[in-house]
Amino acid sequence: MVSEHAEHAAASTAQVLVASNRGPVSYTLGEDGTLDAKRGGGGLVSGLSAVDDKLWVCAALGDGDREAVRRGVGEAGVRMLDIDAEVHADAYNGIANSVLWFVHHLLYQTPVEPVFDAEFRRQWASYETYNRAFAEALAEEAGPGASVLVQDYHLALVPGMLRELRPDLRIGHFSHTPWAPVDYFRLLPDDIAEQLLRGILGADRAAFLTRRWADAFIGCCTEILGGTGRTRIGVHGLGADADFLRRRSHEADVDERMAALREQVGEGRKTIVRVDRTELSKNIVRGLHAYRALLDAHPEWRERVVHIAFAYPSRQDLAVYRDYTAAVQTLATEINGAYGTESWTPVVLHVKDDFARSLAAYRLADVALVNPIRDGMNLVAKEVPVVSDHGCALVLSREAGAYEELGEDAIVVNPYDVVGTAEALHEALTMSGDERSGRTKRLAEAATALPPQQWFLDQLEALRQG
């Protein structure tokens, strides 16, 4: 008996499909009923530009997106799924961002959390429904033997579901986050942990940003399932898009932002730059504590250095993230109050997202501080050396995925060690110009070794090779 999806496949032509929660375009609904489309950015959007004939399946994230779906408005090559808003909220905020993200980034305060109760099970059912919607859409759209690349922790169940519907497809899954070590992964209920692993193992190939995260996944599969079965494991370390960054960072709006930042910093002062979302794993609060420790341990830097900290609000619909953003702002204010003078503001904090201003800060940076508790890769660590005007010392957490590629030429820190990070900042600030230039050149070369388009093409080729 031929399945409904197999019959549909005979009429489908898409040979390269990508699935992700967020798509390449979003829509805003105006008060007059008009829909305004905005193109997204980032490594995935850039990487997928390498393939012309593709279909991107994504979720409608807001009212504008849902209205666009209902009106039949959209871009060629994009299918947006109007999943029930409450189901999406449960799956996205309740499970993906409040459970899976916390597990893989080791963020739980284990004396009091997690609590996997009946509410968790209700939300997990929504996560299953949300994944099934993607699997069914992909099964309908994929041509015979097509290649499907499923993205990230939001869609961990899709490969297994899709395999049941369309066994003819080549299915890949890519994890943009770290993967938890087995002891931490087993915080999850046993059946849920097994379901997640089997979901990803429905893929022909499961890929990760670093060998460390791939090995952690293999460890979980080995401990819980007895192995990875027939699924091949790959590693693809996403690099920075050097051509785009160098071109964009010298446009007029970036020059304007640089002039404004220079005025805020003051003449002749050095800069320590960080650019992050106010995501718990980014460790912004400890970074500010380390800067304060620097000013205490090395008072010679008072009046001579400014910490430019861009902390762009993230996931503000979750209370813990709102609290974290507030804590960042409070600590920056405390440091300025304790150490600032009429002519010197120790911390220049901006919380409104502004890509041009971020690029301006990259160009100005004497030191870049990238100190996450845990990070799948961290493209900021790769972008700053590419854009820097005069060379930049990189202070880098050993828990960032980028450490595997950049650690040799960075000043490496334990992200929990505030005193150690303060000393690393001092070392970075006192680094000679020649050493800083040499390190920056080598960092930029390593950071751009696998630019987004090649990163995606490598995955596609590895999937097709079988």
Side-chain angles (χ1 to χ4, degrees):
M1 178 176 167
V2 180
S3 74
E4 176 185 340
H5 293 297
E7 287 179 348
H8 189 93
S12 300
T13 59
Q15 283 299 304
V16 177
L17 300 92
V18 175
S20 64
N21 177 69
R22 183 179 299 277
V25 63
S26 61
Y27 296 90
T28 303
L29 183 62
E31 291 183 4
D32 60 354
T34 58
L35 284 170
D36 180 42
K38 180 181 179 182
R39 294 287 300 178
L44 188 58
V45 172
S46 180
L48 288 174
S49 67
V51 179
D52 292 327
D53 186 16
K54 62 182 179 293
L55 178 68
W56 193 326
V57 177
C58 57
L61 300 183
D63 293 339
D65 288 352
R66 292 191 170 85
E67 185 61 25
V69 174
R70 289 163 193 152
R71 294 184 190 179
V73 174
E75 288 198 6
V78 178
R79 179 174 170 183
M80 194 172 277
L81 306 180
D82 185 9
I83 299 168
D84 179 84
E86 291 185 6
V87 169
H88 184 271
D90 283 343
Y92 181 71
N93 283 328
I95 299 298
N97 289 342
S98 295
V99 176
L100 302 184
W101 182 272
F102 273 58
V103 167
H104 290 314
H105 290 83
L106 316 186
L107 293 177
Y108 279 124
Q109 299 180 65
T110 53
V112 293
E113 59 182 6
V115 178
F116 295 123
D117 54 11
E119 174 63 8
F120 163 77
R121 293 287 175 170
R122 187 192 66 77
Q123 291 181 326
W124 181 258
S126 293
Y127 183 77
E128 292 174 317
T129 299
Y130 157 83
N131 274 249
R132 191 170 297 109
F134 273 86
E136 290 177 349
L138 292 164
E140 290 169 4
E141 298 287 356
S147 298
V148 181
L149 291 110
V150 180
Q151 305 296 313
D152 229 357
Y153 60 104
H154 313 92
L155 302 177
L157 303 183
V158 168
M161 292 175 170
L162 183 57
R163 174 68 62 210
E164 291 183 2
L165 296 171
R166 291 289 305 277
D168 62 301
L169 300 178
R170 305 298 298 173
I171 304 170
H173 186 276
F174 193 90
S175 294
H176 294 261
T177 64
W179 193 271
V182 64
D183 287 349
Y184 207 89
F185 187 72
R186 299 204 80 163
L187 289 175
L188 292 167
D190 292 352
D191 61 318
I192 301 298
E194 182 172 336
Q195 191 178 352
L196 283 165
L197 295 176
R198 291 196 187 282
I200 291 177
L201 293 179
D204 296 284
R205 194 167 184 275
F208 299 84
L209 287 164
T210 73
R211 172 50 54 187
R212 182 181 178 188
W213 311 142
D215 287 346
F217 176 76
I218 293 168
C220 289
C221 291
T222 301
E223 178 75 16
I224 296 169
L225 303 178
T228 56
R230 301 170 69 177
T231 302
R232 293 174 291 119
I233 308 299
V235 175
H236 302 275
L238 176 61
D241 188 342
D243 292 341
F244 165 75
L245 288 168
R246 288 174 177 142
R247 180 180 68 253
R248 180 69 182 87
S249 65
H250 286 85
E251 292 181 2
D253 58 342
V254 177
D255 290 334
E256 291 172 6
R257 306 300 197 281
M258 283 186 70
L261 283 173
R262 281 199 180 102
E263 187 172 342
Q264 287 182 292
V265 169
E267 189 67 32
R269 293 188 175 116
K270 292 200 171 189
T271 58
I272 299 169
V273 168
R274 79 171 307 134
V275 176
D276 285 303
R277 293 176 294 111
T278 51
E279 156 53 48
L280 307 182
S281 65
K282 300 298 183 182
N283 209 24
I284 303 169
V285 169
R286 284 195 191 88
L288 287 167
H289 281 303
Y291 178 62
R292 178 154 63 182
L294 169 75
L295 298 179
D296 284 338
H298 298 279
E300 66 270 23
W301 286 115
R302 297 181 191 181
E303 300 265 8
R304 293 179 54 218
V305 67
V306 171
H307 186 13
I308 299 174
F310 296 165
Y312 300 143
S314 174
R315 300 176 183 169
Q316 294 298 291
D317 43 356
L318 298 177
V320 65
Y321 284 84
R322 294 194 297 274
D323 293 345
Y324 191 75
T325 302
V328 169
Q329 294 173 301
T330 297
L331 184 52
T333 300
E334 288 177 2
I335 293 170
N336 286 337
Y339 300 91
T341 65
E342 286 188 11
S343 60
W344 174 54
T345 303
V347 180
V348 172
L349 176 69
H350 287 286
V351 296
K352 184 178 179 181
D353 198 346
D354 185 330
F355 184 57
R357 189 175 57 210
S358 297
L359 290 173
Y362 289 177
R363 288 180 57 187
L364 285 173
D366 295 295
V367 177
L369 176 58
V370 180
N371 68 318
I373 294 167
R374 194 169 170 88
D375 214 330
M377 176 53 66
N378 195 293
L379 282 178
V380 170
K382 293 188 169 187
E383 291 169 349
V384 178
V386 173
V387 171
S388 172
D389 278 357
H390 305 294
C392 177
L394 174 63
V395 175
L396 179 65
S397 165
R398 66 190 185 198
E399 298 302 315
Y403 165 73
E404 285 194 15
E405 297 160 76
L406 307 183
E408 191 172 333
D409 285 295
I411 300 171
V412 179
V413 296
N414 172 346
Y416 300 95
D417 183 356
V418 168
V419 172
T421 303
E423 289 306 311
L425 292 172
H426 177 67
E427 179 184 347
L429 288 166
T430 54
M431 186 181 291
S432 72
D434 287 346
E435 182 179 357
R436 191 172 66 179
S437 295
R439 288 194 187 212
T440 303
K441 181 180 179 181
R442 293 190 295 273
L443 287 167
E445 288 172 353
T448 56
L450 195 63
Q453 292 190 359
Q454 192 60 47
W455 168 82
F456 181 76
L457 289 174
D458 284 359
Q459 290 177 66
L460 186 58
E461 178 64 22
L463 181 60
R464 285 171 167 172
Q465 284 177 353

